[in-house]
């Protein structure tokens, strides 16, 4: 018998749907929840995840790497909470992540998927919980997003794994020692827009699809083309496109990044699917300030 392959299982859900329906009506709430689920799926896709199943207000996905699952969890929270309020109520989600075997879409829920569901059910709205099985496999660049001590919650007694809360990109970063935080910002200039990658906005998305932070209308640009992350050690560009991302720093040779990462030192230019040395209206210019 073939043993199922271990993967990182992520479960995200929109909490309090029944109470929202009672207060606001089913039609309006269903529309809002559907928008949340769409943004969850986009974050899964952007981080190379695979959807396993989806319910009315809950989604399950798997990832080959635990790093990707944690980054997807942070991104989907940011995407959902950027939605306009629903009659003054801010939409949010809660997420559970565990490492183990996942069932296929046509099979019953696996024990490891059920554990990820339990973590999601236990998490407070707007929070991410990950089992120790996940945290043990995180790289140095992502490990700092997990709190240093397990979460003391009686609801998790008997789980079999210590559970850690994941520090959100857009929230507090008190788990990172002050001496290790970077104080610089990366400024991005695209056409008439100026954005900053900084503590309050540590991820900027570039792509052709409406909804990216920087929208590039060019047939050579992928829908979710690339992302720039603020990390403890500096700013990093991650390519997730078909045609690659071209970076030319002033005074240096142009580099093409494809399914890889590049530390940005700058100042320089970014071309999403086209050369950064071309005279293009959709070039993005960056510098560290």
């Amino acid at each position: 018998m073939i043993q199922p392959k271990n993967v990182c299982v992520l479960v995200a859900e929109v909490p309090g749907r029944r109470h929202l329906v009672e207060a606001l009506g089913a039609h309006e709430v269903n529309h809002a929840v559907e928008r949340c689920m769409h943004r969850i799926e986009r974050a899964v896709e952007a981080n190379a995840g695979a959807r396993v199943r989806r319910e009315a207000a809950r989604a399950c996905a798997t990832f080959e790497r635990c790093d990707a699952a944690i980054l997807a969890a942070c991104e989907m929270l940011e995407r959902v909470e950027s939605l306009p309020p629903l009659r003054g109520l801010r939409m949010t989600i809660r997420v559970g992540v565990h490492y183990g075997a996942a069932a296929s879409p046509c099979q019953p829920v696996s024990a490891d998927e059920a554990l990820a569901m339990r973590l999601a059910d236990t998490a407070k709205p707007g929070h991410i919980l990950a089992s120790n099985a996940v945290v043990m496999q995180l790289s140095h660049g992502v490990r700092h997003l997990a709190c240093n001590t397990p979460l003391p919650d009686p609801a998790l007694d008997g789980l079999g794994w210590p559970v850690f809360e994941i520090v959100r990109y857009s929230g507090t970063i008190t788990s990172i020692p002050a001496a290790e935080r970077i104080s610089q910002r990366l400024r991005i200039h695209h056409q008439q827009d100026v954005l900053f990658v900084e503590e309050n906005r540590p991820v900027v998305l570039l792509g052709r699809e409406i909804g990216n932070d920087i929208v590039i209308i060019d047939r050579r640009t992928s829908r979710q083309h690339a992302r720039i992350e603020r990390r403890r050690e500096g700013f990093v560009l991650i390519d997730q496109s078909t045609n690659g991302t071209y970076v030319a720093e002033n005074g240096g040779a142009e580099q093409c990044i494809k399914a890889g990462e590049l530390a940005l030192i700058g100042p320089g230019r970014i071309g999403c699917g086209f050369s950064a040395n071309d005279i293009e209206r959709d070039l993005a210019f960056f510098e560290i300030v």
Side-chain angles (χ1 to χ4, degrees), residues 275-281 283:
S275 173
N277 288 324
D278 291 348
I279 301 176
E280 292 279 357
R281 180 172 177 268
L283 283 176

Side-chain angles (χ1 to χ4, degrees), residues 12 21 43 68 78 137:
V21 169
E78 183 179 350
Q137 299 200 46

Side-chain angles (χ1 to χ4, degrees), residues 2-65:
I2 299 175
Q3 294 296 320
K5 181 181 178 181
N6 280 357
V7 290
C8 198
V9 186
L10 179 152
V11 172
E13 61 182 37
V14 181
R17 180 177 177 276
R18 185 177 65 181
H19 297 296
L20 287 172
V21 169
E22 292 173 356
L24 305 175
H27 177 75
E28 189 171 1
V29 171
N30 288 343
H31 177 67
V33 170
E34 181 62 27
R35 292 182 69 188
C36 293
M37 300 301 291
H38 178 62
R39 295 203 169 197
I40 289 170
E41 291 176 343
R42 285 178 59 188
V44 169
E45 179 183 351
N47 290 276
R51 190 176 81 174
V52 175
R53 69 185 83 252
R54 174 180 168 178
E55 301 169 8
R58 174 185 283 167
C60 175
T62 60
F63 299 80
E64 294 290 331
R65 298 170 56 245

Side-chain angles (χ1 to χ4, degrees), residues 4 8 40 58 77 80 111 119 127 174-175 201 206 210-211 219 237 249 254 271 279 281-282:
C8 198
I40 289 170
R58 174 185 283 167
L77 266 175
V80 168
L119 293 180
H127 288 246
T174 52
S175 67
R201 180 186 241 166
L206 301 88
I210 300 299
R219 61 182 178 80
L237 181 141
E249 296 185 342
E254 181 180 60
I279 301 176
R281 180 172 177 268
D282 267 318

